[in-house]
Amino acid sequence: MSALEIDDVAVEFATESGPVRALDGASLTVRPGSSVAIVGESGSGKSTLASLIGRLQPGNARIVRGSVHVDGRDVAQLDTRALRELRRTMLGSVPQDPIESLDPTLRIGRQLQLVLRLAGKDSGVPARRALLEGVRIDDPDRVLRLHPHEVSGGMAQRIAIAIAMCRSPRILVADEPTAALDAQVREDVIRLMFEQARATGTTIVWLSHDLPTVARWCDEVAVMYAGRIVEHGPAAEVLGSPVHPYTRALAAADPTRVRQGERLASIGGGPPVLHAEADGCAFAPRCAFADDACSAGRPGPSTLRGRVHLCRRAEALERLEVSS
Ligand code: ATP
Ligand code: MG
């Protein structure tokens, strides 16, 4: 059974200027115990997709079609109690802004006590200390006494990972922090997250802009564009020799720019904000390889070199490359 099965999901947000279609037929299957990164430019739908896993989408979101199964259970069908149970036992999350997710009025130690108690674990001071030591915080006694605003961004990330992992969740959903962390701190925090997850067999869904790190740590990568997964397969292979023109452009862009989540230098324009279902391939207007048919017909999934992709011209492009 898949840890996660997202099937042809379309989601619209109600806004003052009309509906915004954040997901437009996104599909993704994740094997238990594996790690998948979801990459793509800002606004491509990563956070919206991830929010569906725990039915945590914003209130103005409407699921137009499709389904989300976690551990074989249809998330939309769960009653309040079953949903709470799923969130409590199955899911952990590392939020995009961890300091925001901590209670500003409580010391770190007190928050860890509450989290441990909720997880049904020993919540005494040695257990709280051990939780921080687990994420390589060298001076846990000092940190336990601090309030959230007194810790650095890197420290807050570690605490968020410790909180997320303390229940040994089956699935960890981590939204890459937008706050600029020092490169070494980032690397350490990411290593920690993957090491902890591997030790416990936790499935990781990691939303990221950092392609080199994704290639290094993740089993698989799913590339999002305008609310669809346009290419999905083994991370190093997808990023090393992409099949979809959008992945090609993404992988060719300057990785430091990608890391900062800026608009990609190598492709002109930006991703579209959809208001209704896209007729053809949403990338066609920016694609160097598109022909007229690309804008006309909605591309269906195909398989090439071990990945699933949504480019009707992918095979023709490969033949061109081989013969050139
Ligand atoms: P980033 O890399 O910046 O985090 P993302 O890939 O996570 O971007 P989403 O946050 O999922 O992108 O947004 C997808 C689209 O939906 C964007 O056009 C965004 O403006 C829109 N959107 C997201 N949340 C809402 C909301 N609550 N109300 C209205 N529109 C929204
Ligand atoms: Mg996001």
Side-chain angles (χ1 to χ4, degrees):
M1 195 197 306
S2 307
L4 176 63
E5 179 115 38
I6 297 174
D7 185 28
D8 194 30
V9 173
V11 167
E12 274 179 11
F13 287 111
T15 74
E16 282 180 3
S17 49
V20 168
R21 203 170 177 96
L23 297 178
D24 189 35
S27 298
L28 179 68
T29 302
V30 184
R31 285 178 288 112
S34 68
S35 53
V36 62
I38 304 182
V39 304
E41 283 161 287
S42 195
S44 55
K46 303 181 296 294
S47 294
T48 306
L49 188 74
S51 72
L52 299 175
I53 299 172
R55 213 161 90 196
L56 292 163
Q57 62 269 29
N60 62 334
R62 183 172 72 90
I63 300 183
V64 179
R65 63 159 198 275
S67 63
V68 176
H69 286 80
V70 176
D71 218 22
R73 278 174 292 176
D74 185 341
V75 174
Q77 302 299 326
L78 299 177
D79 60 28
T80 315
R81 202 168 140 214
L83 182 64
R84 199 183 309 133
E85 193 62 13
L86 174 105
R87 287 178 187 159
R88 200 177 63 79
T89 59
M90 289 278 311
L91 302 174
S93 69
V94 183
Q96 211 157 9
D97 187 349
I99 293 184
E100 288 277 296
S101 74
L102 295 169
D103 184 332
T105 64
L106 298 180
R107 291 178 199 275
I108 302 296
R110 173 77 176 134
Q111 309 204 35
L112 295 184
Q113 181 189 26
L114 295 174
V115 167
L116 284 163
R117 204 179 276 163
L118 270 175
K121 294 192 173 172
D122 173 13
S123 62
V125 173
R128 295 175 224 169
R129 200 181 289 136
L131 205 56
L132 293 185
E133 281 165 349
V135 289
R136 311 250 173 78
I137 291 175
D138 304 329
D139 47 355
D141 289 316
R142 185 182 69 86
V143 175
L144 287 172
R145 288 193 299 269
L146 299 177
H147 282 92
H149 69 268
E150 295 172 302
V151 304
S152 66
M155 184 75 80
Q157 277 290 328
R158 284 163 193 262
I159 294 167
I161 291 173
I163 289 175
M165 296 302 291
C166 94
R167 289 178 287 116
S168 311
R170 304 275 294 280
I171 303 182
L172 181 69
V173 181
D175 211 338
E176 183 172 66
T178 46
L181 294 185
D182 169 79
Q184 187 56 49
V185 174
R186 266 181 56 84
E187 185 71 30
D188 289 350
V189 165
I190 290 162
R191 172 176 303 118
L192 205 63
M193 181 173 84
F194 278 87
E195 282 175 359
Q196 294 230 331
R198 274 181 196 160
T200 51
T202 302
T203 306
I204 292 191
V205 179
W206 184 39
L207 281 48
S208 178
H209 290 109
D210 182 351
L211 303 186
T213 309
V214 164
R216 193 150 61 244
W217 286 100
C218 291
D219 299 322
E220 297 185 8
V221 64
V223 181
M224 277 200 98
Y225 189 79
R228 293 185 201 166
I229 306 286
V230 297
E231 181 165 356
H232 173 207
E237 291 164 42
V238 168
L239 298 173
S241 68
V243 157
H244 194 286
Y246 178 62
T247 318
R248 288 169 189 258
L250 201 62
D254 176 358
T256 54
R257 288 183 65 86
V258 173
R259 182 171 307 154
Q260 286 160 13
E262 288 177 18
R263 204 148 270 170
L264 298 174
S266 64
I267 344 170
V273 176
L274 299 177
H275 300 289
E277 181 159 301
D279 293 333
C281 169
F283 187 58
R286 296 169 81 192
C287 180
F289 310 104
D291 60 21
D292 290 347
C294 291
S295 307
R298 193 181 162 82
S302 310
T303 308
L304 184 63
R305 289 197 278 119
R307 26 254 150 94
V308 182
H309 69 88
L310 290 185
C311 177
R312 51 174 288 283
R313 301 217 57 215
E315 294 204 15
L317 285 177
E318 299 256 310
R319 281 197 299 275
L320 272 176
E321 261 173 359
V322 170
S323 64
S324 65

